[in-house]
Amino acid sequence: MTIDNQLDQASETESEVVANTDGLMMQLDYAAPSQISQVNESSDSLSEAQTTEHTQHVALFAQLNRSEVNFHGKVKSPLVFRDSLLALFDVVSSDYRYVPKDRSAYTVFMQMRRASSNKNLFTAQRDYFTWLFDNDPLAFCILDPIIQVHEQGVSFEVFSRDEGCYAQLTLTNEIFEQSAEAILGTTSIDYSTALFNGIEKIRDHQQTILDIGHEAVGLQLLETMPETAEADTDSTVTTPTVKKQIIEKRINVPKSWVRALLQVQSAGQLPQDTIHLDPIALYNVLFELRMHADIKGKRRGLLIELRPQQLPVIILEPFDITVTSQVSQQQKPYQGQQAKLIRLWGRRRLSLLKRLLPHTDSVSVSLLGQGMPSYWTLKGQGFHFTFAMTGFSQANWSQSLNFDLLLPKRPLQNTLAAIEGLSDSSKATLDDSNNDNNDEHNGLSVLIKTLENTPSTLEDLVKSLSADASLTSVPVSHSQVQQWLLSGTQQGLIRYEIATQLYHYRPLSQVPLDMAQFAYHNEAEKQAFDLIGRTDAVQKFTVETVAVKGITIRADIHVEEDRRTYHSQLQLGDEGLVTKAECSCPQYLQHRLTHGVCAHLIVLRLRYNQYDPNNTGNDSWHDTRVLSKRVPSKRFNQPKNKKESVQVASNSSLMTLPSAPTLDLTALAQPAAQIHATTSDKTQALTAQETAIAYVYITIAHKKITIEQTIGDKDTRQQLVFNQPAQAKAAFLQHIARFEAKGFIENQGV
């Protein structure tokens, strides 16, 4: 068990005590639960004679305490509409966190089993769900999606329970036939289980109507007053009154959930490598993941090999299965200048996209780096769906800290609250700030007013803000406008759409967020960022990398307030997770990690993020470089003769493939002209697809260099010793260049 999982268990025990203070209270009021009803298009009720003319009416009830948002239209493609909303529900309800065995739950189950032995099935099931609701109420709780009606269509945003997935669905106007003018705005919708079950029943032969608003047609309840006696001449006839049915939800949203949501939205604007895939390539990845279970103790990453002017290759660890896309003509080679090997985690979450694959025309992937969030954009007729794997979850504090350094410093106050006077504390803080902060708030406020009118791209925003007379004191440039956009996204005011590269004004909540609550995870992280900013806080920092085993980080953390220096040590595994942690501070010596991670370990992790192994001025002479290359595999069983390897029918265009550990479905979709090739060419092509990954570990330790090569189960080892550390360092760089000249790609690590 890693340190991150131990931290997650410790936080769960503490959350039971401070459940009311550790989250952000959010109140959501709806007129009724969102549902699907079968009504006739011309009447409010469905008669028996008109059962064949009914339509599916999808009623999404918006939040009552937000501005009114209205949308009404007929759906032209019901199947695309159904599968996209179901995929959205799969993301918002997903939870991929590791759940360890809990013997206490088994004990309670046995007690309930003995207590309900004489009860019928209905009574026993009711008692179980009553106990589960009282002890674990969040088991049924999912946070309602954020919906925005804009000029291009309707957009939905969701974030998973484990903080590991983010999805953004946009249904364009191309898929709707609108009968009334929509009211643009942002709100939340009630996404209930009944709505999910109703959406599953949508069929192509039925007409589907989408209705978004506070109240839907035919769902008001009428209440009639009792009639008075006939002798009572003073009585008056009362008219029926509408009985309001308000559903109120009080959800204690974790602050970490909101903070991670804002981070993932902001990270979409950072520099990234974009690759284009064919939908069949993504299908092959999901197929191989479904056919191969994860092996305990082995790598579980998704490697993406990028070479300049070549098609990207996806490799599944530890099976070394390669997936390429060579069917679509719209597939573009990688346009970068340098070869890269990027490892992603959380690959099982890609199975949430399986519903949309039949309707997808193109797939593009935006990569931020090793272990960082990746954005998978699926485009089809009438929709585009952006799915983000964050690379971290609630338990993985190490990767979360690594992700924090990519983004600029989070603002400690909300721009709308400070300028419009919505918060007295924020307004007082703004008055005490310097002129630079005032200019930033002024520029962001003008940018928000521009986005309120119409969504815009970065180039259009630069042009419009350059011509604005109120920003004469601030030089408007691409970098300055992008900084304002990042600040607005971190405050929950702006939404960035990767598929169209448009910026939308979308307030996350009806009340501006208090940014001081989302600046840091806890007080230990706040203290760690304060210590990392000091010049003499981190002393004797060393990094030692051992092949296969991981990375060991050591340093002395000096705290001036305590007048003491603490010795901290971290050990990172292959996937960047913390496998061992030690510190000499009183918190760790007394409680270990049961009360959370101390500030000194966080400082050590942040300092490692700033470590550059290529810097010759580093005091540490311990470093390891990992290089890899795909080579032909020799461990597969070769066929005895050519007749068994390839069989080509004379009057058929379908080729029978030989038995291989990987079924490449792209070969079946090749044109007929390419299939009628010689037998020897086909044998060479199939043999070239059977590849394995060769790893080279080059380690330098002061005056000694160790070179280890691993191909499958075979290992070779070589050691070189030099007289001076500088000579070893020069030879270390020469060996790296030698392997790169042979086609190896350096794996940068985390």
Side-chain angles (χ1 to χ4, degrees):
M1 182 183 298
T2 62
I3 302 300
D4 300 323
N5 294 332
Q6 296 179 6
L7 177 63
D8 186 41
Q9 295 180 6
S11 61
E12 289 179 356
T13 57
E14 294 178 359
S15 61
E16 299 178 358
V17 182
V18 293
N20 297 328
T21 60
D22 195 28
L24 179 66
M25 202 64 189
M26 183 178 295
Q27 180 177 352
L28 306 176
D29 297 333
Y30 302 102
S34 298
Q35 56 183 315
I36 291 184
S37 58
Q38 295 182 352
V39 297
N40 187 264
E41 192 172 352
S42 59
S43 62
D44 294 341
S45 61
L46 182 64
S47 60
E48 297 180 357
Q50 297 173 334
T51 53
T52 59
E53 301 178 358
H54 68 273
T55 61
Q56 295 283 349
H57 181 209
V58 182
L60 303 181
F61 285 86
Q63 193 176 353
L64 294 177
N65 52 7
R66 296 198 67 164
S67 59
E68 184 177 359
V69 178
N70 197 344
F71 183 87
H72 182 81
K74 296 182 181 179
V75 181
K76 298 180 181 178
S77 302
L79 297 184
V80 175
F81 177 79
R82 178 196 65 186
D83 293 338
S84 59
L85 288 183
L86 292 180
L88 202 72
F89 188 86
D90 292 340
V91 174
V92 72
S93 58
S94 63
D95 192 348
Y96 285 85
R97 286 174 293 182
Y98 171 73
V99 180
K101 293 183 179 180
D102 189 0
R103 296 299 179 184
S104 61
Y106 177 75
T107 304
V108 174
F109 167 74
M110 295 301 296
Q111 294 177 357
M112 291 179 57
R113 186 175 181 179
R114 288 190 295 266
S116 59
S117 58
N118 297 327
K119 298 181 181 180
N120 55 20
L121 178 61
F122 174 77
T123 306
Q125 189 178 27
R126 183 190 59 186
D127 295 343
Y128 168 73
F129 283 109
T130 302
W131 175 87
L132 187 62
F133 182 79
D134 295 337
N135 294 270
D136 190 10
L138 294 180
F140 305 101
C141 178
I142 62 174
L143 299 179
D144 293 335
I146 307 164
I147 187 171
Q148 182 182 14
V149 179
H150 48 85
E151 298 176 354
Q152 285 76 25
V154 183
S155 297
F156 302 82
E157 287 181 276
V158 296
F159 200 59
S160 63
R161 294 173 55 189
D162 61 350
E163 304 176 10
C165 301
Y166 167 79
Q168 183 182 115
L169 168 66
T170 298
L171 300 174
T172 61
N173 294 328
E174 180 184 356
I175 203 176
F176 296 110
E177 181 182 344
Q178 301 183 29
S179 59
E181 185 177 358
I183 300 178
L184 309 182
T186 304
T187 182
S188 298
I189 61 169
D190 177 39
Y191 208 162
S192 58
T193 307
L195 177 65
F196 174 79
N197 297 331
I199 291 176
E200 283 186 323
K201 300 178 182 179
I202 294 179
R203 296 297 182 265
D204 195 13
H205 63 274
Q206 299 173 343
Q207 182 66 44
T208 304
I209 298 177
L210 175 63
D211 192 0
I212 302 173
H214 287 174
E215 297 179 358
V217 180
L219 293 180
Q220 293 180 348
L221 300 180
L222 299 182
E223 186 180 53
T224 306
M225 300 297 294
E227 298 181 356
T228 57
E230 297 180 357
D232 190 0
T233 57
D234 297 336
S235 62
T236 58
V237 179
T238 59
T239 59
T241 59
V242 177
K243 179 182 178 181
K244 295 183 179 180
Q245 182 184 5
I246 305 297
I247 295 181
E248 180 180 351
K249 291 184 179 181
R250 292 185 178 272
I251 303 175
N252 190 21
V253 182
K255 295 178 183 178
S256 60
W257 188 91
V258 180
R259 187 175 187 270
L261 171 63
L262 297 177
Q263 282 183 316
V264 176
Q265 291 173 341
S266 304
Q269 310 174 42
L270 297 177
Q272 50 196 237
D273 293 316
T274 303
I275 60 176
H276 301 275
L277 302 175
D278 193 84
I280 193 65
L282 181 57
Y283 172 81
N284 286 341
V285 172
L286 299 182
F287 174 79
E288 297 296 347
L289 289 176
R290 185 167 59 90
M291 299 302 295
H292 296 80
D294 293 336
I295 302 177
K296 186 176 181 181
K298 298 292 185 179
R299 296 175 180 264
R300 303 180 183 180
L302 189 70
L303 293 179
I304 299 181
E305 181 182 307
L306 304 178
R307 295 180 182 271
Q309 302 304 321
Q310 294 186 14
L311 295 177
V313 178
I314 301 178
I315 306 171
L316 279 67
E317 296 179 323
F319 316 104
D320 296 340
I321 299 175
T322 60
V323 177
T324 58
S325 177
Q326 301 178 0
V327 179
S328 176
Q329 300 296 331
Q330 62 184 1
Q331 172 106 2
K332 300 178 182 178
Y334 175 60
Q335 301 297 324
Q337 302 296 329
Q338 183 181 4
K340 296 181 180 180
L341 186 66
I342 300 177
R343 177 181 280 108
L344 305 177
W345 295 292
R347 61 186 185 184
R348 292 290 174 184
R349 295 183 172 96
L350 290 177
S351 61
L352 300 174
L353 302 175
K354 59 185 178 182
R355 297 181 185 268
L356 289 174
L357 278 181
H359 314 289
T360 302
D361 297 332
S362 63
V363 179
S364 60
V365 186
S366 300
L367 306 171
L368 294 182
Q370 192 88 330
M372 293 293 103
S374 58
Y375 297 83
W376 301 68
T377 303
L378 282 67
K379 292 184 180 180
Q381 186 176 3
F383 80 97
H384 48 82
F385 189 92
T386 301
F387 175 77
M389 297 188 301
T390 61
F392 62 88
S393 60
Q394 280 186 339
N396 193 354
W397 60 272
S398 179
Q399 287 287 51
S400 179
L401 290 175
N402 191 24
F403 180 54
D404 285 342
L405 296 183
L406 290 177
L407 298 173
K409 186 178 180 181
R410 183 178 299 275
L412 298 180
Q413 57 188 11
N414 193 284
T415 301
L416 292 184
I419 294 179
E420 298 180 3
L422 298 178
S423 175
D424 296 336
S425 60
S426 299
K427 186 175 180 180
T429 306
L430 180 65
D431 295 337
D432 298 336
S433 61
N434 51 24
N435 295 330
D436 295 337
N437 292 334
N438 291 332
D439 293 338
E440 180 179 354
H441 285 290
N442 185 26
L444 182 56
S445 61
V446 175
L447 185 145
I448 289 176
K449 292 179 181 178
T450 304
L451 292 178
E452 285 180 358
N453 301 327
T454 178
S456 304
T457 60
L458 178 60
E459 289 74 13
D460 295 339
L461 287 174
V462 173
K463 294 180 181 178
S464 59
L465 293 179
S466 300
D468 196 295
S470 60
L471 296 177
T472 55
S473 60
V474 181
V476 179
S477 60
H478 280 77
S479 60
Q480 182 63 47
V481 174
Q482 195 168 15
Q483 183 178 357
W484 290 339
L485 290 171
L486 274 172
S487 178
T489 310
Q490 288 180 321
Q491 298 177 32
L493 304 175
I494 298 175
R495 175 178 67 89
Y496 177 61
E497 204 169 61
I498 296 181
T500 59
Q501 297 183 357
L502 290 175
Y503 293 89
H504 297 258
Y505 171 68
R506 192 265 302 125
L508 185 63
S509 59
Q510 65 271 20
V511 180
L513 299 174
D514 185 7
M515 300 310 301
Q517 300 181 4
F518 309 107
Y520 307 101
H521 285 95
N522 45 42
E523 290 296 328
E525 183 179 338
K526 182 178 180 180
Q527 182 183 358
F529 274 92
D530 180 48
L531 291 174
I532 200 66
R534 303 178 185 179
T535 56
D536 57 344
V538 182
Q539 304 172 359
K540 299 180 181 179
F541 177 78
T542 59
V543 177
E544 297 183 7
T545 309
V546 181
V548 182
K549 294 184 179 180
I551 302 172
T552 302
I553 312 169
R554 298 184 182 90
D556 293 337
I557 311 301
H558 177 70
V559 183
E560 186 177 356
E561 292 79 4
D562 299 344
R563 297 181 180 180
R564 291 193 59 183
T565 300
Y566 304 103
H567 180 72
S568 303
Q569 177 179 343
L570 283 177
Q571 185 172 352
L572 304 182
D574 292 337
E575 297 186 353
L577 298 179
V578 179
T579 58
K580 183 179 180 181
E582 294 180 358
C583 187
S584 60
C585 65
Q587 176 183 347
Y588 180 84
L589 295 177
Q590 184 175 1
H591 305 288
R592 292 296 188 263
L593 295 176
T594 57
H595 286 196
V597 185
C598 65
H600 317 103
L601 293 175
I602 299 178
V603 170
L604 190 61
R605 187 64 178 86
L606 294 177
R607 177 61 182 85
Y608 174 69
N609 287 349
Q610 303 174 359
Y611 173 72
D612 185 10
N614 296 320
N615 186 6
T616 57
N618 289 328
D619 297 334
S620 176
W621 292 93
H622 299 270
D623 191 13
T624 295
R625 303 293 181 88
V626 182
L627 299 95
S628 60
K629 177 184 177 181
R630 288 186 294 115
V631 296
S633 177
K634 299 181 180 179
R635 56 188 176 88
F636 301 137
N637 294 328
Q638 300 294 338
K640 297 181 180 179
N641 50 50
K642 295 183 178 180
K643 293 183 180 180
E644 295 181 3
S645 62
V646 179
Q647 297 177 356
V648 182
S650 59
N651 298 325
S652 176
S653 61
L654 183 63
M655 179 182 62
T656 303
L657 299 178
S659 59
T662 304
L663 178 59
D664 190 2
L665 301 182
T666 60
L668 301 179
Q670 297 290 342
Q674 297 182 4
I675 294 179
H676 293 285
T678 60
T679 306
S680 59
D681 295 340
K682 289 297 179 180
T683 306
Q684 293 177 2
L686 293 174
T687 306
Q689 293 179 3
E690 300 175 356
T691 59
I693 301 180
Y695 290 95
V696 177
Y697 301 88
I698 307 177
T699 305
I700 178 175
H702 199 56
K703 300 180 182 181
K704 183 173 63 175
I705 294 180
T706 305
I707 302 177
E708 301 182 26
Q709 300 187 36
T710 302
I711 302 178
D713 298 334
K714 298 181 179 179
D715 298 334
T716 59
R717 183 184 178 91
Q718 180 183 7
Q719 289 187 355
L720 303 174
V721 181
F722 297 86
N723 296 328
Q724 298 295 334
Q727 297 177 356
K729 188 71 173 181
F732 176 74
L733 299 177
Q734 291 177 1
H735 283 290
I736 294 176
R738 179 170 61 89
F739 280 101
E740 288 180 347
K742 294 182 179 180
F744 283 82
I745 301 178
E746 182 178 353
N747 190 348
Q748 298 291 341
V750 181

